[in-house]
Amino acid sequence: MFIGRERELESLNRLYQSDHFEFTVIYGRRRVGKTALISRFIQDKKAIYFMGVESNSRQNLENFSRNIMEYRVNAQVETVFSSFQAALEYVFQLSRKERLILVIDEYPYVARSSKSLASTLQLLIDQYKDSSRLMLILCGSSMSYMEDHVLAYKAPLYGRRTAQMKILPFDFEEACRCYKNFSEEEKALIYGIVGGTPQYLLQMNDRMSVEDNIKNTFLNPASFLFEEPENLLKQEVREPALYNAIITAIATGASRMAEISSKVGESTSVCATYLNNLISLGLIQKETPYGEKASRKSIYHIDDNMFRFWYRFIPANSSIIARGAADLAWKRIEPNLSDYMGKVFEEICRQYLWKLLLKGMSPVEFFDLGRWWGTDASTHSQTEIDIMGVQEPDTALFGECKWTNEKVDQGVLEKLIYRSSLFHYSHKYLYLFAKNGFTEGCMNAADKAENVFLVSYADLLRFFLS
């Protein structure tokens, strides 16, 4: 079952239809669906698909040669080109006569084993780009390698690509489309547990409860999800132990640089370097109060739901999980799930507001959304706003998100109204989001105010899936 990626497929097909030389770089984290996207794109087209392996140059050249010959004569032929240059030159010659796609998947494996490959591609692209009808696709899961050695200014291939795609995890709407049998609340919980990475979503069985899904995956030592975050880190970084410590510190409550540094026992300068690497991998996000530039108020949080869930609950329970005590581990996790889901619900609500904007249905044409926190000058106390967005010069949106079993009452709305008064915009629109709806008093108060929108989770989900 292939879900989503409509925009990416549309872009690839548009490039293909140019019938000129095209060079596309596709990259993104492991398990995010890059190979599935490429397979879908080339399924009805003339294409040579080659996946690099973590081996030596000779092994990759043999595999590449075999893929070329299988395309050329539609049979396995034991012919090995003398070099990657000879093999690639042969493909470029083929593409003079017909539209042809060449995919080199897991390109970093091939390039690391054959140091001159990037320069060879540069040479051949410059030589054949005007006469070739080749569509070249380089794909890689090593984010750092693709960004530093393919996309960067100093890379040999810089300036040759005609397009690049960073493949991101599914958003909540796309994740929901993977399931038919989960209840409304279960869909949010599953998204909060595994995020939008397709391979992780496939591990969830919508004919089972959330509890049983967690027990069969994260609480099962035989499941690949049980060790997935640590294994991914080992493939991306050289010192996974300290990265593990930093992510664990953030998952268990340390959000400011000083707190993280103290918890892991390293200097802030060392932690800053490691945090920057985690940010580039899309695992950690640095956040500042909305509308403010980088400051001492900056905090860090885990930006991937699967990593956030795993580091929040699995390391602390790893000993009992290893002994097969999944029921006991679940008993410890379950009471904390509602609190854990608070941040997840905020992200789902932000996605809702973005879709309102893109459909032309938002009263505020904001450029960005974020969270704000700071000091209330009248009370000298710390306060925060879950969601904020501004349309210059004088219009703003403020949102509050409540993932609780109780209906949201009028007091929550009044608190949001007060907090929005800390900002002096002439036009304000307030959004109150609730898991289980609103009390009659809250709805009556919202009706009297023309600038208040009450959105239950059920309403939000219907909007996504309509």
Side-chain angles (χ1 to χ4, degrees), residues 286-305:
K286 183 179 181 179
E287 190 178 15
T288 56
Y290 184 86
E292 298 184 21
K293 296 181 179 179
S295 69
R296 292 182 179 179
K297 292 182 181 179
S298 295
I299 60 173
Y300 297 86
H301 65 86
I302 300 174
D303 200 33
D304 178 275
N305 285 348

Side-chain angles (χ1 to χ4, degrees), residues 262-408:
S262 175
K263 211 160 191 177
V264 303
E266 293 286 350
S267 68
T268 55
S269 60
V270 169
C271 288
T273 300
Y274 282 72
L275 282 165
N276 285 336
N277 291 337
L278 290 169
I279 291 169
S280 68
L281 291 173
L283 300 178
I284 297 293
Q285 185 178 56
K286 183 179 181 179
E287 190 178 15
T288 56
Y290 184 86
E292 298 184 21
K293 296 181 179 179
S295 69
R296 292 182 179 179
K297 292 182 181 179
S298 295
I299 60 173
Y300 297 86
H301 65 86
I302 300 174
D303 200 33
D304 178 275
N305 285 348
M306 192 277 288
F307 270 73
R308 184 166 167 260
F309 178 85
W310 194 94
Y311 278 95
R312 171 67 179 82
F313 297 113
I314 304 308
N317 292 292
S318 59
S319 295
I320 61 173
I321 295 170
R323 287 166 173 77
D327 289 339
L328 177 57
W330 169 252
K331 187 177 179 181
R332 295 178 177 180
I333 292 170
E334 196 272 338
N336 299 294
L337 269 183
S338 182
D339 178 65
Y340 169 85
M341 282 296 297
K343 294 296 182 188
V344 177
F345 188 47
E346 286 180 22
E347 174 54 30
I348 292 172
C349 296
R350 278 193 286 269
Q351 292 180 21
Y352 167 84
L353 291 170
W354 274 111
K355 289 188 183 293
L356 276 185
L357 177 70
L358 296 176
K359 289 186 176 184
M361 300 169 64
S362 174
V364 180
E365 294 184 358
F366 52 84
F367 289 92
D368 200 3
L369 291 174
R371 192 160 60 93
W372 179 87
W373 62 94
T375 303
D376 180 345
S378 62
T379 63
H380 304 288
S381 61
Q382 290 294 304
T383 189
E384 66 176 60
I385 298 171
D386 290 341
I387 301 175
M388 184 174 172
V390 172
Q391 175 186 339
E392 297 295 348
D394 210 23
T395 304
L397 174 155
F398 301 90
E400 180 76 13
C401 312
K402 292 296 182 183
W403 186 263
T404 59
N405 290 329
E406 298 78 25
K407 292 182 181 294
V408 170

Side-chain angles (χ1 to χ4, degrees), residues 18 38 61 110 114 120 157 179 209 225 254 287 309 430 451:
S18 77
I38 293 170
L61 180 57
V110 191
S114 181
T120 299
L157 292 172
Y179 306 114
S209 67
L225 280 177
E287 190 178 15
F309 178 85
L430 310 183
N451 65 333

